[in-house]
């Protein structure tokens, strides 16, 4: 209804309109669709010096539903710790801590996984995130998942902290991250995830390249820039 009757429609993801067409929207008609993604506030976009980052550290930030992949992140630590015994996965979020803690024990990585719980303040989450090395967003490729069409704000938060991102093919934003040389896409399984983690941590040149890409991506991803671009496009199409 909105797409058919609005002068403009703001989509947070480029995957939304193709999904509408696939679901039956008339492809012969013209629709004013603008890509207006989520963005960041200036106080969120801050970076630590690379030398001050916690060595071999990973972070999973966000809600802990299975579809978001925290289970995969914990399972991946079994292989990661063989190569980097001091590696730590920091989990910031709430929902299934007891279940995930049991999973860490089952995989014998309880000493390599740190649960920080839910942090409500956005600025405090950003401050906590930016001291780690890599951000994990291992979404599960599940048919019908809204994450196939939405905008992964956790990925934007990772880049705002200067973290290279490891994600899956699920979030449309993942492809933009790869194009920006700010991260990599892997299959949604623990082995592929652990391989990517080990590869990035083992290669300082690759890590530096991805970190620089993440920082560059985040610096341009402000609400002011996003809205300015959207209003300019609306004005030019009037």
């Amino acid at each position: 209804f909105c797409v058919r009757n609005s002068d403009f429609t703001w989509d947070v993801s480029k995957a939304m309109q193709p999904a509408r067409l696939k679901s039956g929207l008339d492809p012969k008609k013209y629709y004013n669709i603008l890509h207006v993604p989520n963005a960041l506030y200036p106080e969120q976009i801050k970076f630590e010096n690379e030398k001050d980052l916690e060595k071999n550290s990973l972070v999973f930030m966000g809600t802990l539903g299975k579809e978001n992949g925290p289970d995969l992140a914990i399972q991946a630590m079994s292989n990661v710790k063989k190569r980097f015994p001091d590696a730590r996965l920091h989990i910031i979020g709430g929902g299934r801590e007891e279940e995930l803690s049991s999973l860490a024990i089952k995989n014998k990585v309880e000493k390599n996984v740190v649960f920080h719980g839910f942090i409500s303040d956005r600025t405090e989450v950003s401050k906590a995130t930016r001291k780690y090395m890599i951000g994990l967003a291992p979404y599960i490729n599940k048919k019908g998942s809204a994450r196939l069409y939405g905008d992964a704000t956790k990925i934007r938060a990772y880049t705002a902290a200067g973290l290279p991102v490891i994600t899956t093919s699920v979030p449309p934003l993942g492809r933009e991250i790869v194009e920006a040389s700010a991260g990599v896409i892997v299959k949604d399984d623990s082995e592929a995830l652990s391989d990517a983690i080990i590869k990035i941590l083992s290669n300082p040149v690759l890590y530096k390249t991805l970190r620089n890409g993440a920082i560059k991506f985040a610096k341009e991803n402000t609400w002011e820039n996003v809205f300015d671009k959207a209003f300019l496009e609306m004005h030019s199409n009037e």
Side-chain angles (χ1 to χ4, degrees):
F1 179 87
C2 292
V3 172
R4 291 192 184 104
N5 295 283
S6 299
D7 293 327
F8 297 93
T9 302
W10 287 14
D11 284 357
V12 295
S13 156
K14 293 179 181 178
M16 295 178 73
Q17 182 62 5
R20 294 190 190 101
L21 295 173
K22 187 177 180 181
S23 296
L25 190 68
D26 189 349
K28 296 179 181 178
K29 292 186 177 181
Y30 176 75
Y31 309 97
N32 270 325
I33 307 295
L34 302 183
H35 179 218
V36 187
N38 289 311
L40 306 157
Y41 294 101
E43 63 268 23
Q44 291 177 279
I45 307 174
K46 293 183 179 180
F47 320 105
E48 298 286 352
N49 290 323
E50 188 176 334
K51 64 180 179 62
D52 295 327
L53 301 179
E54 181 181 312
K55 186 179 178 182
N56 299 328
S57 57
L58 315 162
V59 61
F60 178 98
M61 180 268 291
T63 55
L64 304 181
K66 284 189 176 182
E67 68 278 7
N68 294 330
D71 303 66
L72 289 185
I74 291 173
Q75 291 164 348
M77 292 304 292
S78 293
N79 283 336
V80 173
K81 82 167 192 175
K82 292 175 185 177
R83 178 66 175 80
F84 300 101
D86 63 341
R88 294 288 183 276
L89 167 63
H90 296 268
I91 296 181
I92 302 174
R96 297 169 56 230
E97 292 99 325
E98 187 173 336
E99 182 181 348
L100 292 173
S101 179
S102 296
L103 181 64
I105 293 170
K106 180 181 178 181
N107 283 270
K108 300 179 180 180
V109 293
E110 65 272 19
K111 293 182 180 179
N112 301 85
V113 180
V114 182
F115 292 91
H116 296 269
F118 174 70
I119 302 175
S120 60
D121 186 272
R122 181 182 63 236
T123 303
E124 288 302 312
V125 172
S126 297
K127 188 185 297 184
T129 303
R130 71 176 69 113
K131 62 187 177 183
Y132 306 127
M133 290 188 68
I134 298 174
L136 305 183
Y139 296 99
I140 304 298
N141 196 345
K142 184 179 179 181
K143 185 177 180 180
S145 171
R147 284 151 184 80
L148 291 163
Y149 311 103
D151 190 44
T153 53
K154 83 166 66 187
I155 291 179
R156 296 187 184 279
Y158 291 153
T159 62
L163 276 61
V165 178
I166 302 177
T167 187
T168 65
S169 62
V170 174
L173 181 58
R175 294 181 279 283
E176 293 182 48
I177 290 297
V178 170
E179 289 173 5
S181 297
V184 298
I185 290 175
V186 300
K187 292 181 181 179
D188 59 339
D189 65 62
S190 60
E191 185 175 350
L193 181 58
S194 64
D195 286 347
I197 292 169
I198 292 169
K199 181 179 180 180
I200 294 173
L201 290 179
S202 301
N203 189 330
V205 174
L206 174 60
Y207 179 80
K208 186 72 173 179
T209 297
L210 296 176
R211 179 173 170 82
N212 288 342
I215 290 172
K216 182 179 179 182
F217 181 87
K219 283 182 175 178
E220 299 174 359
N221 187 209
T222 64
W223 285 112
E224 185 175 9
N225 286 343
V226 167
F227 287 144
D228 281 350
K229 182 175 182 290
F231 288 126
L232 183 63
E233 286 186 59
M234 291 171 66
H235 180 71
S236 64
N237 288 330
E238 286 180 344

